[in-house]
Structures are given as C-alpha cells and as structure tokens.
C-alpha cells in the first residue's frame, strides 16, 4: 500500500511544503548563481527515470561556461568554482529537483538517477533500480554518497527496491541529513564513469 499509493502522496505533499517554505532560499540561490556563474541559472540534464523513461532533471548550475581559444568548454575541474563546490557539498544545487518530485519524475527516496549513457551497461539485476522512481536521495547516498564503489552503490540500490517500506524511507531521510550535515562522503570525481568501470570490469 505504501509503495503504490502513500509514497507518491507523501512526495506531492512534502515537495509542495518544501517549495513554499523555502521559496526565499530558491530566490537567494538563483541570484547568487546568476551573479557568480551566469545564466542559465537552472541546469537541465536528461536522466532515466522509472521504467527507464527519460526525463529532464533540474539543478542549480555549479559550473561556468569558460571555453578555450577554440571555443571548447574547459575541463569540469576548471569550470567548477569554489562557490559551485560549496553548492554541491551542501547539496543545495539539488533543490530544483523538488519540482521533479512534484511532477512525478522523481521521489524523495530512491536510487539516484544516473546518466542516460550508462543504460547499455547495466546487468539484469542492476536494472532493478529503474523499477521505482529515482530519488533526491537514496540508500547509497545515506551510506557514503560518492565515496563508495559502483558495486556498493548498486548493491544499496537493489536492496532498497527489494525492501521498500515507509520505515526504510524514514531511515534513509535521517541518515542522509546526518551525512549532509557532516559532509561525509563528499569526494569530487571520486569514481570513473560507469562505462569505464564496466569496461575495466570486463577485463578482469
């Protein structure tokens, strides 16, 4: 009952509450992003959702559009400013995802939506992560964020799908808050791209 009805109801109610109560924070962040990083303020990227349906995920931008003499974007580590790093470390760049939750693209809790280009590389068990809506946070994020291995991330994702309950979601929320406040597991560029990881795995 929770998985098929109440979870979506909670998503709608809670996302509305957050958007309304923190509208002042959205405005402040939008002004800061526009001033420090330029426009557009919102970064939109295609991600796979439930049943691998593609949707546009919203974030506050955290990088500049600096280019080299040939007009090519500079590497991410160059374009990621100190302000952008703080946005990511505090997860404030993800506040626009509450609109994705309200729309039904995402849920508060679920496996984090990864890049579309990773879809061909999942094995059958890993694809189970797409049998539920992707989340603003998930079991993997509550247990190490981006400092844990791909193998461990997918173990957590599949475990969540197979054991989804209200108490599980509540535990993930509490653990995520602790992780964000302590800044545990925040490691920039900690993992190789998933396709690189899968190719590496195939050689072993």
């Amino acid at each position: 009952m929770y998985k098929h009805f109440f979870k979506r109801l909670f998503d709608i109610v809670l996302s509305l509450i957050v958007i309304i109560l923190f509208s002042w924070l959205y405005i402040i962040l939008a002004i800061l992003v526009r001033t420090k990083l330029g426009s557009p303020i919102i970064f939109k990227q295609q991600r796979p959702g439930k049943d691998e349906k593609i949707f546009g995920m919203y974030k506050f931008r955290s990088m500049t559009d600096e280019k080299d003499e040939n007009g090519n974007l500079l590497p991410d580590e160059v374009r990621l400013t100190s302000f952008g790093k703080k946005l990511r470390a505090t997860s404030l760049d993800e506040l626009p995802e509450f609109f994705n939750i309200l729309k039904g693209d995402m849920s508060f809790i679920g496996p984090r939506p990864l890049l579309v280009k990773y879809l061909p590389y999942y094995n059958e068990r890993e694809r189970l992560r797409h049998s539920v809506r992707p989340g603003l946070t998930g079991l993997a994020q509550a247990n190490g964020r981006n400092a844990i291995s791909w193998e461990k991330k997918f173990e957590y994702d599949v475990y969540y799908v197979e054991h989804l309950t209200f108490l599980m979601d509540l535990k993930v929320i509490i653990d995520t808050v602790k992780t964000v406040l302590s800044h545990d597991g925040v490691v920039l560029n900690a993992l190789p791209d998933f396709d690189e990881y899968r190719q590496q795995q195939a050689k072993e």
Side-chain angles (χ1 to χ4, degrees):
M1 179 67 81
Y2 171 73
K3 178 179 179 179
H4 298 290
F5 178 72
F6 286 110
K7 183 174 173 67
R8 177 61 190 143
L9 180 61
F10 289 155
D11 283 341
I12 294 171
V13 173
L14 292 176
S15 59
L16 272 174
I17 290 173
V18 169
I19 290 170
I20 292 171
L21 287 183
F22 291 94
S23 56
W24 58 272
L25 183 55
Y26 281 93
I27 294 171
I28 291 173
L29 288 174
I31 293 172
L32 288 174
V33 170
R34 178 66 179 83
T35 302
K36 295 178 177 292
L37 300 175
S39 61
I41 294 169
I42 299 296
F43 170 72
K44 182 179 179 181
Q45 189 174 53
Q46 298 297 99
R47 299 290 177 99
K50 187 176 185 296
D51 301 322
E52 299 186 358
K53 180 180 177 182
I54 308 301
F55 71 96
M57 188 176 76
Y58 309 129
K59 285 189 176 187
F60 281 120
R61 69 181 299 175
S62 56
M63 294 191 291
T64 66
D65 283 332
E66 291 180 89
K67 299 178 181 179
D68 60 23
E69 61 275 10
N70 297 316
N72 300 312
L73 287 173
L74 294 175
D76 289 358
E77 58 268 21
V78 176
R79 295 186 294 120
L80 183 61
T81 65
S82 58
F83 172 70
K85 290 177 182 177
K86 289 175 183 176
L87 277 181
R88 291 188 182 187
T90 56
S91 297
L92 288 174
D93 63 318
E94 297 180 1
L95 276 179
E97 289 173 40
F98 282 101
F99 288 95
N100 286 122
I101 295 173
L102 185 60
K103 286 171 58 184
D105 299 326
M106 297 175 62
S107 176
F108 265 93
I109 312 298
R112 281 295 292 168
L114 300 176
L115 298 177
V116 174
K117 71 175 184 177
Y118 296 165
L119 285 176
Y121 299 101
Y122 295 120
N123 61 40
E124 186 176 347
R125 183 159 176 76
E126 290 165 353
R127 286 187 182 279
L128 289 175
R129 71 193 310 279
H130 295 130
S131 61
V132 298
R133 286 185 178 87
L136 179 69
T137 186
L139 196 57
Q141 286 64 46
N143 288 275
R145 297 180 79 175
N146 59 333
I148 59 176
S149 68
W150 282 112
E151 292 97 330
K152 200 64 180 175
K153 282 178 183 288
F154 291 130
E155 283 179 25
Y156 280 128
D157 289 345
V158 174
Y159 183 88
Y160 173 80
V161 170
E162 294 177 336
H163 298 82
L164 200 169
T165 62
F166 171 72
L167 289 179
M168 170 71 80
D169 277 1
L170 186 60
K171 182 178 186 304
V172 170
I173 291 173
I174 293 171
D175 289 346
T176 297
V177 171
K178 290 179 182 177
T179 299
V180 171
L181 291 179
S182 65
H183 301 301
D184 285 343
V186 181
V187 182
L188 296 176
N189 302 321
L191 293 173
D193 281 349
F194 180 56
D195 49 357
E196 293 176 16
Y197 150 74
R198 186 59 87 208
Q199 289 166 16
Q200 228 173 32
Q201 191 182 50
K203 294 176 183 178
E204 296 174 354

